[in-house]
C-alpha cells in the first residue's frame, strides 16, 4: 500500500542507485493531453497563470532541490521554505527556498544555536521525514518526524529565516512521545498534535495541545468517538474552533472518514458529508482558503488518487476541483501543498512527492473559489435586522446621506422657504443625534482599548509569574531529587547495619557456645568419669 509501505523506485538504475530513466509525466490542460517533459513551459510567475482550477507546471530557475517526499513546506514573506524529506530511504536535512517573486530556487546554509551562551555553526540539522512545519510570525516551527536516531519525546525546533539559525525551544508539561506522519494544526495560539506513527511502527490517535504563549504541553481528555489510530492523514482548522481530520492509513488499510473536534467542548463527532464520496487515501496534503479545504495527492492499496478535492467546511460538502493523469506530481504521495496570495488571487503550490519516482517539480493551481464567510455574515446580519457594518461606519454613512439630501433640497427649484427651514431643522436634529452616537461610540472604543491594554498587561504579569513559579518548581524538584538520593543512601546504610548486626549476633552466639563448652570440659574430670577422662 503506497501510504503505508515505503516507495520502491522504478526504472533503470544507475551506478549510484538512482533511476536514470524516469517515466514521463502526462497532465491534462484544457482537455488536451500533453507530455510535460517534452513541453517547454514559459512562465514569468504565478500571475501569468490565466486558467482557473488547473494544475500548471512552473518554470523555475536556480539549482533544483533534490527530489524527495514526506518533506515539509511553509510560506513566509513571499518565499516557500522546504525542509527535510526522504529520498531512497535517506533522510534529508537541507533547507531549500523558492522565491515566489523571481521563481528561483536557492539553498540556505543553516546554523544550529544550542544555547544562549554557545556559538552557532553551520550544520545539516535534524535530518528527518514525516515532520510538520508551521509558520509562526516570521519564524518556522518544526515538530516531530522520523529521524535516524529517534528520541523518546517530541521536541519543538525553531528556524529563523533572518539569521538562518535552528534552535530547540524549551517546553513545559508532559511532551508527547516522538512520532512521524502526525498532523500538527495551528488553532488560535495553540498547536494541536494528533496521531502519527511511533516507535516500532505503533499507530497513535492521542491528542496533545501546545500553548505557544506559555510553551506548555497538555493532553486533554475528549468525549465522543475519536478517529482510529492512523498516520499520514490531513488536518485543518475552521473558524478558530473546529479541528478536522480526514483520511490517513493504518498497517492494513486507508481511510476516507471525516472527523471533527470542537476544541471548546473537546467533543469528537463524525458529520454526514454531502456531494461526492472521497476515495480512501493516505499521504495526501491539504491547505485551506477561507471555509474551503483543498486536498490533493495521496494513495491507497490500489492506486494513487488523481483528483483534487475541496471540502466546504461550513456545509461538509465534497466536490472535485480538477483531475490529473496518474503519476503527475500533484497526485503524488508525500508531496507538500501551500497557499500563496498575489493581487487578491489564491494559488495552490505543490512540490515534490513520490508517484513511481521521486519528484522535485513545482506545480501551481489558481483557485476560483473565494471565501464566502464575510458575505454570509453580512447577509445574515442584514436579514436579522442587525447592521452588517460597525456603528461608526453606519453613522458616517447616515451623515453623508443627510448632507446629500440637504444639497438635493437646496438645488431643487420651487421649494417654499418654510419647507426648507423645517427640513433643515429636522436634518440638523438628525445630524446632532448622529454626532452624539459617534461620540458615544468613540468613547466606547477608547474604553475597550483601555480594557484590552489592561488585560494584555495582566496577561504579561501572569506569564512572568508562571515562568517564575515553574523555575521555583524546577528547583524544588531538583532539591527533592537530591533528598531522595540521600534517603536512598541512608536506607542502604541501614540495611548494611542490619546485616552487620545479624552477623554480630551470630558471632556472639558462637562465642557464648564456645565458652559454655570450655566450662563443661573443665568441670567434668572433677565429677569423676566422662568423655574427656577416657581420652586422657
Amino acid at each position: 500500500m503506497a501510504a503505508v509501505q515505503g516507495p520502491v523506485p522504478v526504472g533503470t538504475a544507475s551506478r549510484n542507485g538512482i533511476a536514470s530513466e524516469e517515466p514521463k509525466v502526462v497532465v491534462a490542460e484544457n482537455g488536451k493531453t500533453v507530455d510535460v517533459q517534452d513541453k517547454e513551459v514559459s512562465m514569468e510567475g504565478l500571475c501569468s497563470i490565466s486558467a482557473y482550477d488547473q494544475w500548471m507546471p512552473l518554470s523555475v530557475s536556480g539549482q533544483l532541490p533534490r527530489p524527495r517526499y514526506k518533506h515539509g513546506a511553509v510560506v513566509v514573506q513571499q518565499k516557500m521554505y522546504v525542509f527535510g524529506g526522504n529520498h531512497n530511504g535517506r533522510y534529508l536535512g537541507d533547507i531549500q527556498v523558492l522565491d515566489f517573486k523571481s521563481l528561483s530556487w536557492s539553498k540556505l546554509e543553516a546554523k544550529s544555536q544550542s544555547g544562549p551562551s554557545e556559538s552557532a555553526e553551520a550544520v545539516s540539522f535534524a535530518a528527518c521525514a514525516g515532520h510538520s512545519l508551521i509558520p509562526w510570525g516570521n519564524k518556522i516551527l518544526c515538530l516531530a518526524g522520523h529521524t535516524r536516531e529517534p528520541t523518546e519525546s517530541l521536541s519543538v525546533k525553531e528556524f529563523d529565516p533572518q539569521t538562518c539559525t535552528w534552535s530547540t525551544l524549551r517546553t513545559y508539561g508532559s511532551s508527547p512521545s516522538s512520532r512521524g506522519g502526525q498532523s500538527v494544526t495551528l488553532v488560535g495560539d495553540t498547536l494541536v498534535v494528533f496521531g502519527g506513527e511511533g516507535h516500532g511502527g505503533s499507530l497513535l490517535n492521542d491528542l496533545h495541545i501546545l500553548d505557544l504563549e506559555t510553551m506548555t504541553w497538555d493532553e486533554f481528555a475528549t468525549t465522543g468517538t475519536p478517529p482510529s489510530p492512523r498516520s499520514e492523514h490531513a488536518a485543518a482548522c475552521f473558524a478558530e474552533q473546529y479541528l478536522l481530520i480526514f483520511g490517513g492509513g493504518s498497517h492494513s488499510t486507508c481511510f476516507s472518514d471525516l472527523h471533527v473536534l470542537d476544541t471548546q467542548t473537546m467533543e469528537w463527532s463524525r458529520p454526514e458529508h454531502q456531494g461526492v464520496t472521497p476515495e480512501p487515501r493516505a499521504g495526501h496534503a491539504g491547505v485551506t482558503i477561507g471555509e474551503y479545504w483543498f486536498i490533493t495527492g495521496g494513495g491507497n492499496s490500489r492506486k494513487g488518487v488523481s483528483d483534487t478535492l475541496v471540502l466546504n467546511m461550513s456545509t461538509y460538502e465534497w466536490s472535485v476541483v480538477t483531475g490529473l493523469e496518474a503519476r503527475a506530481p500533484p497526485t503524488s504521495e508525500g508531496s507538500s501543498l501551500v497557499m500563496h496570495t498575489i493581487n487578491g488571487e489564491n494559488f495552490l503550490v505543490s512540490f515534490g512527492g513520490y508517484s513511481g519516482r521521486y519528484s522535485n517539480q513545482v506545480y501551481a493551481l489558481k483557485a476560483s473559489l473565494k471565501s464566502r464567510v464575510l458575505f454570509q455574515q453580512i447577509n445574515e446580519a442584514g436579514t436579522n435586522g442587525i447592521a452588517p457594518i460597525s456603528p461608526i461606519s453606519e453613522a458616517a454613512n447616515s451623515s453623508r446621506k443627510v448632507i446629500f439630501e440637504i444639497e438635493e433640497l437646496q438645488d431643487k427649484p420651487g421649494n417654499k422657504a418654510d419647507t426648507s427651514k423645517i427640513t433643515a431643522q429636522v436634518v440638523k436634529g438628525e445630524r446632532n443625534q448622529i454626532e452624539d452616537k459617534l461620540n458615544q461610540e468613540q468613547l466606547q472604543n477608547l474604553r475597550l482599548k483601555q480594557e484590552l491594554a489592561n488585560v494584555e498587561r495582566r496577561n504579561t504579569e501572569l506569564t512572568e509569574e508562571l515562568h517564575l513559579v515553574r523555575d521555583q518548581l524546577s528547583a524544588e524538584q531538583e532539591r527533592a531529587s537530591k533528598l531522595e538520593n540521600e534517603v536512598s543512601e541512608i536506607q542502604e546504610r541501614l540495611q548494611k547495619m542490619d546485616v552487620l548486626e545479624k552477623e554480630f549476633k551470630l558471632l556472639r552466639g558462637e562465642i557464648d557456645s564456645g565458652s559454655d563448652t570450655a566450662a563443661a570440659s573443665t568441670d567434668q574430670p572433677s565429677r569423676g568419669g566422662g568423655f574427656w577422662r577416657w581420652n586422657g
Side-chain angles (χ1 to χ4, degrees), residues 230-243:
R230 65 190 65 197
S231 66
E232 308 297 337
H233 52 278
C237 173
F238 177 59
E240 296 292 328
Q241 179 177 349
Y242 301 99
L243 174 72

Side-chain angles (χ1 to χ4, degrees), residues 221-227 259-261 265-270:
T222 60
T223 59
T225 303
H259 297 262
V260 179
L261 174 69
T265 62
M266 299 307 293
E267 180 179 5
W268 285 103
S269 62
R270 188 171 177 182

